[in-house]
Amino acid sequence: MGLWDSFEDVRGQQEVAQTGKRKYVCVTGNWSLLASWLVRALLEKGYNVRSTIRTTVDEAAALMALPGAEQRLELTQADMLDYGSLVEVFMGCDGVFHTSSPSDLVSNYPSEMADFEVRGTLNIVEACANSSVKRLVLTSSLAAMVWDQQRHADKVIDEKCWSNMDFCRSKKLWGPLAKTMAEKAAWSLARDKELDMVVINPAIVLGPKVFGTTQCIFTYLKGVKELPQSGLFAYAHVEDVAKAHISALEVSDASGRYICYESVVSEEKLVGLIRKLYPDSSVPSRFSKNGIPHVLSNDKLKSLGLALHAEQKLL
């Protein structure tokens, strides 16, 4: 361990002691852009981190190479469908982040995964309620809010909004359906168990990977059959989304759901962006120029004191 790493580790632990931040936390879910950033951000803030995200050998080695990881990162395994293994992993942790990948416009989400996601999420909630966990921060998705053909385009989408599950089924939108079902089930069980739970509903998560290339807008356009209704295409920088999760744990009066996005792109702008960034790529004919994006509100998220990145950093 180098001198700088030693300094960072000591500084992080002093910050925890001075501010009373929860020190022992667990990050669960699947390997994703968000999960890796969250682990890094937690280490930078001085937390001891226990991670159950599934990784390859190379990904695990990269995580363990992060500053502070050698001293404060524990990589372990837990099965989301095995309640007992989750309780064991959560013991001693004050906070848990369940970072199942946000569902956005991905059209290849398997329909059979919806039941798996619901059952796994319920196990997470149950295990948190029956262990030392003081707060669960759950990653849901903006997709659990926006899909509703009965909502007027002028209506502001905020934390009170839910996607219409019948509409999702009729359109075979299995990703948004799974996110809506899982989040609603989680809220019902958390209230029943009196578990302190906060939910982050991110838009499409973009930005540089902790290891490797940058994840950009075009990544999410491959295989997409249609944009959400009225051209809603919102996105957020991964660093902002990770910070939002940590704030949801640290801010004592944080509660309920928080929409996390930086900007909304209309279909017309999106088509222009594709042509500008990828001039050799054909613009899918399914994208029209007539979309009028819904109005989103992230005022509640801003109340946590977060400053979002500029648009240029997300392209």
Side-chain angles (χ1 to χ4, degrees):
M1 182 175 65
L3 179 60
W4 176 253
D5 288 344
S6 299
F7 172 73
E8 286 293 296
D9 188 52
V10 170
R11 185 177 69 174
Q13 295 191 34
Q14 286 177 340
E15 182 180 3
V16 167
Q18 291 170 358
T19 62
K21 294 174 183 173
R22 299 180 174 106
K23 188 176 181 182
Y24 296 92
V25 295
C26 184
V27 179
T28 73
N30 301 317
W31 176 263
S32 66
L33 177 66
L34 172 59
S36 56
W37 266 81
L38 183 56
V39 169
R40 185 175 83 167
L42 288 165
L43 289 172
E44 289 175 350
K45 298 205 72 173
Y47 284 94
N48 287 335
V49 182
R50 189 175 296 158
S51 173
T52 70
I53 56 177
R54 295 180 179 180
T55 61
T56 65
V57 173
D58 290 341
E59 289 166 345
L63 282 176
M64 293 306 301
L66 291 171
E70 184 178 345
Q71 301 78 27
R72 292 181 281 106
L73 176 60
E74 175 188 350
L75 301 182
T76 185
Q77 293 183 344
D79 185 348
M80 284 179 56
L81 298 183
D82 182 353
Y83 165 78
S85 70
L86 293 172
V87 171
E88 183 177 352
V89 168
F90 294 165
M91 284 300 178
C93 292
D94 286 333
V96 167
F97 299 89
H98 181 50
T99 60
S100 57
S101 300
S103 173
D104 34 65
L105 304 181
V106 179
S107 60
N108 59 353
Y109 187 99
S111 58
E112 63 272 13
M113 282 294 292
D115 180 63
F116 172 84
E117 186 155 355
V118 172
R119 288 188 291 129
T121 301
L122 288 176
N123 273 342
I124 293 287
V125 174
E126 185 83 30
C128 286
N130 293 310
S131 60
S132 60
V133 175
K134 295 182 176 64
R135 176 172 287 177
L136 165 64
V137 179
L138 176 69
T139 309
S140 182
S141 173
L142 185 62
M145 299 175 161
V146 300
W147 293 93
D148 185 356
Q149 82 283 15
Q150 298 177 349
R151 183 184 299 127
H152 194 276
D154 292 336
K155 178 177 173 56
V156 176
I157 296 176
D158 59 18
E159 284 75 12
K160 297 186 292 295
C161 296
W162 288 93
S163 289
N164 184 305
M165 291 190 288
D166 289 336
F167 177 72
C168 290
R169 290 188 183 95
S170 69
K171 292 291 187 178
K172 298 183 179 180
L173 300 169
W174 307 124
L177 176 64
K179 290 300 177 185
T180 306
M181 291 173 56
E183 188 188 341
K184 284 194 170 186
W187 278 119
S188 179
L189 184 58
R191 292 183 181 113
D192 182 60
K193 296 291 183 178
E194 298 183 344
L195 174 68
D196 185 357
M197 184 177 79
V198 179
V199 174
I200 303 297
N201 296 80
I204 295 171
V205 180
L206 303 176
K209 294 182 179 180
V210 172
F211 333 103
T213 58
T214 296
Q215 203 151 294
C216 63
I217 284 180
F218 197 64
T219 304
Y220 289 88
L221 300 180
K222 297 178 181 178
V224 176
K225 294 179 181 178
E226 61 179 309
L227 288 176
Q229 56 209 46
S230 298
L232 176 60
F233 190 99
Y235 58 88
H237 193 284
V238 62
E239 185 177 1
D240 291 331
V241 182
K243 287 180 178 179
H245 280 71
I246 296 175
S247 293
L249 178 73
E250 293 180 343
V251 177
S252 60
D253 59 354
S255 63
R257 312 165 84 197
Y258 290 87
I259 292 177
C260 184
Y261 82 98
E262 187 276 329
S263 185
V264 177
V265 181
S266 67
E267 290 186 48
E268 181 177 5
K269 184 176 181 181
L270 182 59
V271 169
L273 181 62
I274 296 173
R275 288 175 173 159
K276 178 180 179 181
L277 296 179
Y278 309 97
D280 297 329
S281 300
S282 60
V283 178
S285 59
R286 61 183 174 270
F287 293 124
S288 71
K289 292 188 176 183
N290 301 319
I292 301 173
H294 277 285
V295 178
L296 296 180
S297 172
N298 59 1
D299 290 343
K300 187 179 177 186
L301 180 70
K302 292 177 181 178
S303 71
L304 296 180
L306 294 176
L308 302 180
H309 279 77
E311 181 177 346
Q312 288 78 4
K313 298 188 71 173
L314 297 166
L315 304 183

